[in-house]
Amino acid sequence: MAADEPNPTAARTTLLAPLPDHQNVTTRWWQQLWRRHTHITTPLRERGLPCDIEFGLSAHIVRVTLSDDSYLIISPPQDPPSDRSPGDPEGWIATREDPDDETLFEVVYDSLPSEDPGADPRPEARHGGSAEPLIEAIDHRLAQLGLLPAPAPPHTSPHPAPTQPTPRAQVATGAPERGATYAYGDALRDLTDRLNGAESHADAAALLHQILQPTDGLLAQLGEFFEAAGERAKEAEEDDGFDLSYDLADAAAEVRHLGEVLHVAEDRMRALTPLTPAPRALSAPARAPSLPPAAPPTSRRTR
């Protein structure tokens, strides 16, 4: 890359807004809510916008602080509240408000289901709970107002999807199992190979996202898998089925707890700075090779 070309990776690392600074950040319930909203908060933080999770009228909301002391409220349905899990509502409404100016109230985006069956549907309503149109609308409006600290990253998504796993030759030990394949293990091996070859900490963070994303990441889906396996074990007639279901439920809980512990690992990885290579020491002048030792004099034998 030429020196005068912008580096999207570096820009994304530099402009990531910090995490909130309050005591709830260390609590398990807040961390779980944060993980469920990273598809909203991470793109905004990459634009330099600080975000937080708060409780609204009847559901949790995302509060975005703006540079003119106003703020955005990104909210799911509140009245009546959504029956869906936090972070995955039927739609979003984003409003701009100012605590010191009651006249400022602007709807930036609204994809909530219409409460009036006879009213014409809003254009955004077709997007439902999708995050990308919401972020695009916020980008557009804040850019108009001059309140966007950083432009949108010049790529569709900050988290590239993993490539399809490369088929690997099966290693046979004795008689190979009929049709035995390990596509899921191979997919994770390929992700590990990509991590080993990542050119920056930001690229490594994007791969961590594939593991730690709170709804679709590997750990979240692995927890779902163990939970489903436990439910299947309960269907057995043997008593051991119930014992196995408890073990699998414990495994699901441990995997989910691991995701909660590592919920900020992606952000921390992206914020890392690569080590500066140490200057090379001057090489010592080459020495002339030592001469071999002289052969001992041969003694003459007298007759």
PDB file of all heavy atoms in Angstrom, residues 40 55 99 143-144 160 166 191 239:
ATOM      1  N   ILE A  40     -25.087  -3.122  16.917  1.00  0.00           N
ATOM      2  CA  ILE A  40     -25.449  -1.705  16.851  1.00  0.00           C
ATOM      3  C   ILE A  40     -24.283  -0.843  17.345  1.00  0.00           C
ATOM      4  O   ILE A  40     -23.883   0.125  16.694  1.00  0.00           O
ATOM      5  CB  ILE A  40     -26.700  -1.405  17.703  1.00  0.00           C
ATOM      6  CG1 ILE A  40     -27.883  -2.259  17.236  1.00  0.00           C
ATOM      7  CG2 ILE A  40     -27.041   0.075  17.648  1.00  0.00           C
ATOM      8  CD1 ILE A  40     -28.384  -1.943  15.863  1.00  0.00           C
ATOM      9  N   PHE A  55     -31.780   1.474  30.459  1.00  0.00           N
ATOM     10  CA  PHE A  55     -33.155   0.984  30.463  1.00  0.00           C
ATOM     11  C   PHE A  55     -34.083   2.137  30.142  1.00  0.00           C
ATOM     12  O   PHE A  55     -34.019   3.207  30.748  1.00  0.00           O
ATOM     13  CB  PHE A  55     -33.525   0.386  31.821  1.00  0.00           C
ATOM     14  CG  PHE A  55     -34.794  -0.420  31.778  1.00  0.00           C
ATOM     15  CD1 PHE A  55     -34.799  -1.700  31.243  1.00  0.00           C
ATOM     16  CD2 PHE A  55     -35.988   0.110  32.247  1.00  0.00           C
ATOM     17  CE1 PHE A  55     -35.971  -2.441  31.179  1.00  0.00           C
ATOM     18  CE2 PHE A  55     -37.158  -0.619  32.203  1.00  0.00           C
ATOM     19  CZ  PHE A  55     -37.151  -1.907  31.652  1.00  0.00           C
ATOM     20  N   PRO A  99     -30.938  17.239  26.310  1.00  0.00           N
ATOM     21  CA  PRO A  99     -31.465  17.413  27.673  1.00  0.00           C
ATOM     22  C   PRO A  99     -31.690  18.881  28.039  1.00  0.00           C
ATOM     23  O   PRO A  99     -32.485  19.188  28.931  1.00  0.00           O
ATOM     24  CB  PRO A  99     -30.389  16.769  28.552  1.00  0.00           C
ATOM     25  CG  PRO A  99     -29.143  16.826  27.725  1.00  0.00           C
ATOM     26  CD  PRO A  99     -29.580  16.681  26.305  1.00  0.00           C
ATOM     27  N   ALA A 143     -23.813  13.123   9.337  1.00  0.00           N
ATOM     28  CA  ALA A 143     -22.927  13.784   8.381  1.00  0.00           C
ATOM     29  C   ALA A 143     -23.516  15.116   7.933  1.00  0.00           C
ATOM     30  O   ALA A 143     -22.789  16.112   7.774  1.00  0.00           O
ATOM     31  CB  ALA A 143     -22.684  12.879   7.181  1.00  0.00           C
ATOM     32  N   GLN A 144     -24.833  15.173   7.724  1.00  0.00           N
ATOM     33  CA  GLN A 144     -25.485  16.429   7.369  1.00  0.00           C
ATOM     34  C   GLN A 144     -25.311  17.479   8.463  1.00  0.00           C
ATOM     35  O   GLN A 144     -25.118  18.664   8.181  1.00  0.00           O
ATOM     36  CB  GLN A 144     -26.976  16.198   7.118  1.00  0.00           C
ATOM     37  CG  GLN A 144     -27.307  15.468   5.833  1.00  0.00           C
ATOM     38  CD  GLN A 144     -28.809  15.277   5.663  1.00  0.00           C
ATOM     39  OE1 GLN A 144     -29.548  15.171   6.654  1.00  0.00           O
ATOM     40  NE2 GLN A 144     -29.262  15.229   4.416  1.00  0.00           N
ATOM     41  N   PRO A 160     -15.413  -9.336   8.431  1.00  0.00           N
ATOM     42  CA  PRO A 160     -15.546 -10.170   7.248  1.00  0.00           C
ATOM     43  C   PRO A 160     -15.969 -11.577   7.604  1.00  0.00           C
ATOM     44  O   PRO A 160     -15.549 -12.133   8.613  1.00  0.00           O
ATOM     45  CB  PRO A 160     -14.121 -10.164   6.653  1.00  0.00           C
ATOM     46  CG  PRO A 160     -13.228  -9.804   7.798  1.00  0.00           C
ATOM     47  CD  PRO A 160     -14.041  -8.909   8.688  1.00  0.00           C
ATOM     48  N   THR A 166     -11.551 -25.205   3.743  1.00  0.00           N
ATOM     49  CA  THR A 166     -10.844 -25.947   2.716  1.00  0.00           C
ATOM     50  C   THR A 166     -10.921 -27.424   3.030  1.00  0.00           C
ATOM     51  O   THR A 166     -10.617 -27.838   4.153  1.00  0.00           O
ATOM     52  CB  THR A 166      -9.366 -25.509   2.677  1.00  0.00           C
ATOM     53  OG1 THR A 166      -9.338 -24.102   2.467  1.00  0.00           O
ATOM     54  CG2 THR A 166      -8.605 -26.234   1.583  1.00  0.00           C
ATOM     55  N   LEU A 191     -10.029 -21.029  10.326  1.00  0.00           N
ATOM     56  CA  LEU A 191     -10.093 -19.731  10.992  1.00  0.00           C
ATOM     57  C   LEU A 191      -8.819 -19.480  11.799  1.00  0.00           C
ATOM     58  O   LEU A 191      -8.289 -18.365  11.829  1.00  0.00           O
ATOM     59  CB  LEU A 191     -11.321 -19.687  11.904  1.00  0.00           C
ATOM     60  CG  LEU A 191     -11.742 -18.300  12.398  1.00  0.00           C
ATOM     61  CD1 LEU A 191     -12.194 -17.433  11.241  1.00  0.00           C
ATOM     62  CD2 LEU A 191     -12.867 -18.412  13.420  1.00  0.00           C
ATOM     63  N   ASP A 239     -32.041 -43.844  32.845  1.00  0.00           N
ATOM     64  CA  ASP A 239     -31.814 -42.795  33.833  1.00  0.00           C
ATOM     65  C   ASP A 239     -30.595 -41.954  33.479  1.00  0.00           C
ATOM     66  O   ASP A 239     -30.522 -40.767  33.836  1.00  0.00           O
ATOM     67  CB  ASP A 239     -31.624 -43.413  35.226  1.00  0.00           C
ATOM     68  CG  ASP A 239     -32.916 -44.035  35.747  1.00  0.00           C
ATOM     69  OD1 ASP A 239     -33.987 -43.665  35.232  1.00  0.00           O
ATOM     70  OD2 ASP A 239     -32.833 -44.892  36.648  1.00  0.00           O
TER      71      ASP A 239
END
